[in-house]
Amino acid sequence: MGHLDHAAFGLLTPVLSYAMAVIGAALGLRCTVRALAASGRSRRNWLITAASAIGTGIWTMHFVAMLGFAVRGTDIRYDVPLTILSLLVAMLVVGAGVFCVGFGRDRVRSLLVGGLTTGLGVASMHYLGMAALRLHGSVRYDPLLVVLSVVIAVVAATAALWAALNIKSPIAVAVASLVMGAAVSSMHYTGMLAVSVRIDPAGGELPGAAAMQFIFPLAVGLGSYLFVTSAFVALSPTAHERAAYTSAERPSGAAPAQATATGPAKSTTTATA
C-alpha cells in the first residue's frame, strides 16, 4: 500500500482550495439572488452565471487541493480529456439544479430536487476528476466514505440553494458562502480519505499531464475568471437600485408632459368663452 499525503505543500493547498470554494459559492449565491429578482432572459443569464461560478469554484477547489496530493513510490499524472470532462459535468449538472430552483413553481420541491441534482453534480465532478488520476498502481475506495462524501455534497448544495432563496443581505450571503466553502472542502477531503493505493513499481511511463503542467495553469485561469466575474457582479446594479434610479428619473420626465396637457385645456376654455 502506498503512503498518501493530502497536503504535500503544507497548509497552502487546503487554504487556497477553501478560498476558491468560498469565492465560487459567494458568486453563485449572489447570482442566484439576482436571478430570483429578475425575469425572462435576465433571469436565465444570471442563472447561467451562477452555475458557471459554482461549477468553476468547486472544480478549481478540487484541483488546487489535488496539487497537494502525493503518493510515495509513484509519480502522478492526469488524463486531460477526463479532467476537462469533470469541469463540464460540474457546470452542466450544477446548472440543472440551479435552473430547477430558479424556474420551479413549488419552492420546497424545487429546493429538494435542485439540491440533490447540484450535490450529485459536485460529487460527479470529484470522482470523475479522481478517475483521471494516473499512477503506478491501482486506486481503491472505501464505499462508506464515498457514500458519506456524496451525502455531504447533497446537504451542502441544498443548504446553499436554501440560502439563495431565503437570504438577501450581502453579510448573510458572505456567512453562507463561508459555510458552503467548508462543506465543499469537507466533501473533498472525506472523498480523499476513502482512497487507498496499491503501488505497482514495475509500471512504465505514465500517460497524461503532470499537475504543474496542466492543472495549475488551468486552475489559475479559472481562478482569474472567478475574480473577473466577482467584479462584474459587484458593479452590476441590483433590481432595487434600478427601481430607485427609475423612480428618481420619473418626476423630471413627467413635468413637461403635465405642462403640455394643461396648455390645451386652457386654450379650449378660452375659445369656449
Side-chain angles (χ1 to χ4, degrees):
M1 300 294 288
H3 173 73
L4 308 185
D5 189 351
H6 297 287
F9 298 103
L11 291 177
L12 175 62
T13 49
V15 171
L16 186 57
S17 63
Y18 172 70
M20 292 295 101
V22 170
I23 292 171
L27 278 175
L29 289 177
R30 289 303 298 162
C31 291
T32 306
V33 169
R34 296 288 189 91
L36 295 174
S39 60
R41 183 179 299 178
S42 179
R43 172 172 289 195
R44 182 202 64 190
N45 292 340
W46 277 116
L47 289 175
I48 291 174
T49 307
S52 64
I54 295 173
T56 300
I58 293 170
W59 189 92
T60 307
M61 174 272 152
H62 171 82
F63 281 99
V64 168
M66 291 303 293
L67 289 174
F69 178 67
V71 182
R72 186 178 300 170
T74 178
D75 293 329
I76 294 177
R77 297 288 186 273
Y78 294 88
D79 181 273
V80 176
L82 267 180
T83 302
I84 295 175
L85 178 62
S86 68
L87 171 60
L88 296 178
V89 166
M91 288 186 175
L92 291 175
V93 182
V94 169
V98 170
F99 268 77
C100 181
V101 169
F103 286 101
R105 295 183 179 180
D106 185 336
R107 280 204 165 189
V108 175
R109 177 194 243 168
S110 299
L111 179 62
L112 294 177
V113 174
L116 177 62
T117 304
T118 304
L120 291 178
V122 173
S124 299
M125 178 279 301
H126 175 84
Y127 288 105
L128 264 177
M130 291 303 295
L133 203 67
R134 299 291 180 265
L135 47 74
H136 293 301
S138 58
V139 178
R140 298 181 180 181
Y141 295 92
D142 183 327
L144 290 179
L145 287 176
V146 169
V147 171
L148 178 60
S149 69
V150 174
V151 170
I152 292 174
V154 171
V155 171
T158 305
L161 294 176
W162 177 88
L165 288 172
N166 296 279
I167 294 177
K168 306 301 179 184
S169 71
I171 294 177
V173 169
V175 173
S177 302
L178 293 173
V179 175
M180 177 64 176
V184 171
S185 296
S186 299
M187 176 268 162
H188 171 83
Y189 286 105
T190 300
M192 294 308 296
L193 287 176
V195 174
S196 61
V197 177
R198 186 179 296 276
I199 298 296
D200 179 14
E205 185 178 352
L206 290 169
M212 295 302 178
Q213 293 174 323
F214 171 71
I215 297 175
F216 187 70
L218 193 52
V220 169
L222 292 176
S224 300
Y225 164 77
L226 289 176
F227 283 110
V228 171
T229 307
S230 299
F232 168 75
V233 173
L235 294 174
S236 297
T238 63
H240 178 72
E241 290 170 344
R242 287 195 299 270
Y245 178 78
T246 302
S247 62
E249 287 292 314
R250 193 171 296 157
S252 61
Q258 184 177 2
T260 304
T262 306
K266 288 183 178 179
S267 301
T268 303
T269 305
T270 303
T272 303

